[in-house]
Amino acid sequence: MDHQTERAFQKQAGIFQNSKDLKKRNQRWYKEVGYGFKTPKEAINGTYIDKKCPFVGQVNIQGRILSGVVVSTKMKRTLVVRRDYLHYVPKYNRYEKRHRNISAHVSPAFDDSAIEAGDVVTIGQCRPLSKTVRFNVVKVTKAKSASKSFSKF
């Protein structure tokens, strides 16, 4: 029972764990978030329990789907995503660079230690999960290791 890391007993809502039938006892509830994103194998076969996970928790992905570069992974199950964009200044007829940092919840289905700064993640909007977190990581794309290569962001 390595998934019991909290003081309170962690379990999935709606799954009866004291069944005499072993097949029913080891059931795991999961769902597809939609929009063409696949459910990770760790969410289907894993033992973790996360109520804020879009694959096995009580969170729906709805609204905006954004992508950005990971800046920080120092928080537990949360990362900071930087989104760069250009803002037009009509007076000078030019663009200026701007950015926005977004906090996003990362499910244990994506290996937390494997996600590093520089990786490109796709995040989906959901209900407020905390004071600053309103997005959930839906897909992770590893950063290219080449030092001189064109990057999207």
Side-chain angles (χ1 to χ4, degrees):
M1 292 256 252
D2 58 330
H3 57 277
Q4 296 295 339
T5 57
E6 308 294 331
R7 286 182 149 189
F9 182 74
Q10 303 291 305
K11 67 186 187 83
Q12 283 190 316
I15 301 291
F16 182 61
Q17 295 181 328
N18 294 327
S19 175
K20 292 185 170 99
D21 189 9
L22 282 176
K23 289 182 182 177
K24 291 182 181 177
R25 185 179 294 183
N26 295 327
Q27 279 184 334
R28 182 166 175 83
W29 181 85
Y30 63 92
K31 66 177 180 180
E32 291 199 14
V33 296
Y35 301 107
F37 296 108
K38 293 184 178 178
T39 305
K41 291 198 178 354
E42 180 64 27
I44 298 170
N45 303 325
T47 59
Y48 75 90
I49 294 172
D50 183 15
K51 65 181 182 178
K52 297 178 181 179
C53 173
F55 306 108
V56 299
Q58 301 296 320
V59 176
N60 292 329
I61 300 297
Q62 54 197 12
R64 298 188 180 273
I65 306 291
L66 308 173
S67 63
V69 179
V70 175
V71 177
S72 169
T73 58
K74 295 177 183 175
M75 294 176 276
K76 181 181 177 185
R77 293 188 180 178
T78 307
L79 49 81
V80 178
V81 178
R82 179 182 170 118
R83 300 197 69 233
D84 294 320
Y85 60 94
L86 297 174
H87 177 253
Y88 181 67
V89 182
K91 180 180 178 182
Y92 300 108
N93 195 23
R94 282 169 173 69
Y95 292 91
E96 63 183 5
K97 285 185 181 178
R98 291 190 177 180
H99 81 275
R100 192 71 71 224
N101 284 342
I102 301 172
S103 298
H105 179 78
V106 57
S107 167
F110 304 110
D111 189 14
D112 295 341
S113 60
I115 299 176
E116 299 172 347
D119 292 348
V120 177
V121 293
T122 303
I123 54 177
Q125 191 174 4
C126 59
R127 64 175 170 81
L129 302 176
S130 70
K131 181 182 174 184
T132 58
V133 178
R134 275 108 177 97
F135 287 87
N136 234 313
V137 174
V138 182
K139 183 179 162 189
V140 177
T141 308
K142 299 302 285 179
K144 293 186 174 73
S145 60
S147 60
K148 287 195 174 183
S149 65
F150 175 78
S151 80
K152 183 178 176 184
F153 301 102

